[in-house]
Amino acid sequence: MIHQVRMAANALDQPLLLAGKLPEDVYLPLLGEGYLSPRCRVAELTRESSPAERSWWDRQRLLPDPEAFLVGHLTSLRATQAPLLVLGEPGSGKTKLTEVLAARLARSEFLPFRVELRAVRARADVSGQIEQAVGEVLGEEVPYADLVAAGDGAMPVILLDGFDELVQGGLNRYDYLERVREFQAREAGLGRPVAVIVTSRTVVADRVRFPDGLLALQLLPFDDDQVRQWLDIWDQANRALLARRDLKPLPAEAALVHGEMARQPLLLLLLALYDAGGNALQHDHSPLRRSRLYEVLLRDYTERETGGARRVAIDQELVLLGAVALSMLARGSQVITDEQLDRDLPALCHGGEDDQDDEEERVDWARKATERFFFVRRKGHAFLHSTFGEFLVAWLTLYALRDLDRRRRLAGDEPLAVVQAVDDDLLYAVTSHSCLAERGPAVGFVLELLEEVPAAVRARCAELLAGLLRRALYERPRRHFTGFRPVRHTVTRRLAAYSANLTLLIVAASEEPVAVSSILPGPDHLERWSALTHLWKGQLGADGWTGLVTALSAHRVVTDGVEDVVLGGAEPSGMGDVVVAVATGHAPRHRRLLDLLLRALGEGQALPFRDRVGILEELLRTVAVRSPAMHRALGMMWHEEGADRAALKLLLRAMLADPADRMATWELLVKSGIPESALWEIHQDVLHPGGS
């Protein structure tokens, strides 16, 4: 049994990419050949740490020898007392680090168990997740205690890969690291000490509660020497193969032109793969954006696999891949099964009109979509990297938008075209299941793709989208693509996602910042905006709403005594809270109070403690504001020297009074720094006023 586990962990003799159908005209180096140890920074996390911010990491210690550090850590007592958190950007090599560590540890006195968190039960406890992952190798689930006992004294090392998938999956696993530490403490108490390493995208680090003294690593991009070193490996592996087609391996100088993309291990490999198709990067020295790299890589591979298909056929392939990504996003999962694909894909890619009675014409949709090398098997299908899925969702959204513009132009100025509704069925099907901002990179990809669209087309699209937004909440008697329902959502939930995505697309397509009064004209524009934001906040869920206020910068303006909200034109910097404030409706006075609070917090202006309590109290009691700034303010004030905690407890009691909102509010307050013991005391007072 343990021999099987060790053999499965030993992946050094497998290709760098374990995917479906690999390109046949290149050689992918083995993991043991092509893996370079990353540069790292290390820090101990405290309440004042900001590990989600690059500037904070720039001040932390650079490790001279990461491999020596990991060896020292795993042989220390600290490794069995708390997990080691490994953070990095998408494509920085987090997963490869766990694969290499598992392989090397399997040959030593340790007993490694590698767990891909996106492929196990998200709500299970740590031991249950380990048992499920190992069960995939053994063909049956074995209790964790039995696995350790079979290791004959070897210390277990648990490698939990992809913690961000739990945080972004809407499951509120913000306390997962504490649960991991409790698991370690329990195992140590039973005489079975265990070391744990957890990997995650850096972006979710501000949505996680860290145990005190947690040690964290940040994986850094390759430096110039590492880029050259890796491309030397690529050169040795592929020079002879490429020479048969009169091509050369990608040189470092041609790769480094592409800046940060060449410094992320996964993206450097993708650059080398794309260049191997025809040395395009060596002929064109202008830097690529990530969206452009993904698109040309997908198109180039598809063209080679199909023997030089026309653009329309290649677009159809990308639509198919985009539908897979969309099905995953709608389900909040990075893994999808054959059964789900066979149900979803024909509904979107074939209009739901696939003739199931015609055996000769039956299409194996799951195989057709996932046989490419962009997929890996994970108890279903997963993209080679999650950013492929985020790009494809963005690409499919832009495809639907271009289709909308094309249909409107074909209608021209015909008399009926003036009165007929714009056919937005495809755009609605693509954007009504989830808010694009749930996965932040998807919005970034939309922005990059839109920059390649001519200005005149973007302007037409922005105008069309504004018209759709004004009619978005009204009944449509008949739509196509109704069979595409990855998840059964209420009508209000789908309308919320659709209208939120229309707003994001309007701002993204517009050359200048967008005034709410211009897209919702009339004297009641703020009331209509308030209705929309209420709908979004109530229906999109925590991830959708948080992502939206992060992606959609907004600020309030007053011109000639008329109030308005301007969207876009500034980097999101917490001003998403103004969207929350406007969503409360009510008087401008209350929105000015929130503006004052935001300035005081964001710029460090000195307001007396009592005045700040008064501002918070009025916002809570008169307009029931619940915003990220509110939770942050309470957390900061709780820990101030000389804080009047009795006054703060009254505010906290008001915030916890509503049972429908209590759990989410509790979690946000704890993340902001309010001790759970204090909240529990307040909760008991709410349940038993007067101490009865």
Side-chain angles (χ1 to χ4, degrees), residues 348-415:
L348 189 65
C349 302
H350 208 273
E353 298 171 2
D354 195 20
D355 188 353
Q356 298 297 319
D357 296 327
D358 190 343
E359 293 295 332
E360 293 185 2
E361 297 297 325
R362 185 183 295 273
V363 177
D364 186 343
W365 288 97
R367 181 177 179 182
K368 178 179 172 65
T370 62
E371 63 183 356
R372 310 302 190 198
F373 91 93
F374 305 109
F375 289 92
V376 292
R377 295 284 301 182
R378 293 289 186 270
K379 205 177 182 183
H381 305 281
F383 281 106
L384 187 64
H385 196 273
S386 59
T387 52
F388 271 112
E390 291 154 351
F391 164 76
L392 284 163
V393 167
W395 186 92
L396 187 60
T397 300
L398 264 292
Y399 178 88
L401 183 54
R402 293 195 305 267
D403 178 72
L404 180 73
D405 176 61
R406 180 182 62 83
R407 289 173 181 273
R408 185 66 188 87
R409 284 188 292 108
L410 288 175
D413 296 325
E414 294 293 330

Side-chain angles (χ1 to χ4, degrees), residues 86 93-99 113-120 129 158-166 176 196-201 219 378 385:
V86 177
K94 301 181 295 296
T95 294
K96 292 303 171 188
L97 174 65
T98 63
E99 291 177 357
F113 298 106
R114 185 172 172 275
V115 181
E116 291 194 38
L117 291 175
R118 66 178 176 179
V120 297
Q129 291 173 332
I158 314 300
L159 303 160
L160 302 170
D161 186 32
F163 170 44
D164 48 291
E165 299 300 339
L166 301 186
Y176 183 75
V196 180
I197 296 176
V198 183
T199 75
S200 174
R201 286 189 187 189
L219 301 187
R378 293 289 186 270
H385 196 273

Side-chain angles (χ1 to χ4, degrees), residues 25 33 106 141 157 233 246 285-286 288 293 376 413 466 552 604 644:
D25 46 8
E33 299 170 337
E141 289 195 16
V157 177
I233 297 170
D246 295 323
H285 301 295
S286 56
L288 283 176
L293 170 63
V376 292
D413 296 325
L552 190 64
D644 182 357

Side-chain angles (χ1 to χ4, degrees), residues 565-626:
V565 172
V566 175
L567 308 174
E571 289 293 324
S573 58
M575 291 307 290
D577 283 296
V578 177
V579 181
V580 184
V582 176
T584 63
H586 300 291
R589 172 169 174 262
H590 298 128
R591 294 195 286 275
R592 285 195 292 274
L593 284 173
L594 187 56
D595 286 345
L596 175 62
L597 174 61
L598 285 167
R599 280 201 305 275
L601 292 175
E603 300 175 11
Q605 294 177 1
L607 282 176
F609 190 90
R610 182 171 298 180
D611 290 351
R612 280 181 284 160
V613 169
I615 292 171
L616 292 171
E617 182 178 12
E618 182 169 4
L619 286 168
L620 279 172
R621 298 188 186 282
T622 60
V623 293
V625 168
R626 302 289 191 273

Side-chain angles (χ1 to χ4, degrees), residues 638 645-654 656-657 662 666 669-670 674-692:
W638 182 273
R645 291 183 175 174
L648 292 178
K649 284 183 178 181
L650 293 175
L651 300 182
L652 294 169
R653 179 171 180 172
L656 294 170
R662 186 176 295 145
W666 184 294
L669 288 169
V670 170
I674 305 293
E676 280 195 284
S677 57
L679 295 180
W680 183 252
E681 178 184 335
I682 295 165
H683 177 55
Q684 293 302 309
D685 288 342
V686 171
L687 293 178
H688 308 291
S692 58

Side-chain angles (χ1 to χ4, degrees), residues 404 408 417-424 428 463-476 479 495 498-499 502 519-520 528 532:
L404 180 73
R408 185 66 188 87
V418 178
V419 296
Q420 287 179 335
V422 177
D423 181 1
D424 66 330
Y428 178 80
E463 185 178 350
L464 280 171
L465 291 165
L468 290 175
L469 179 63
R470 289 190 283 272
R471 300 189 297 272
L473 304 187
Y474 291 94
E475 182 182 7
R476 277 286 300 272
R479 283 194 181 276
L495 291 177
Y498 184 50
S499 56
L502 287 177
I519 55 176
L520 300 173
R528 295 164 70 189
L532 277 176

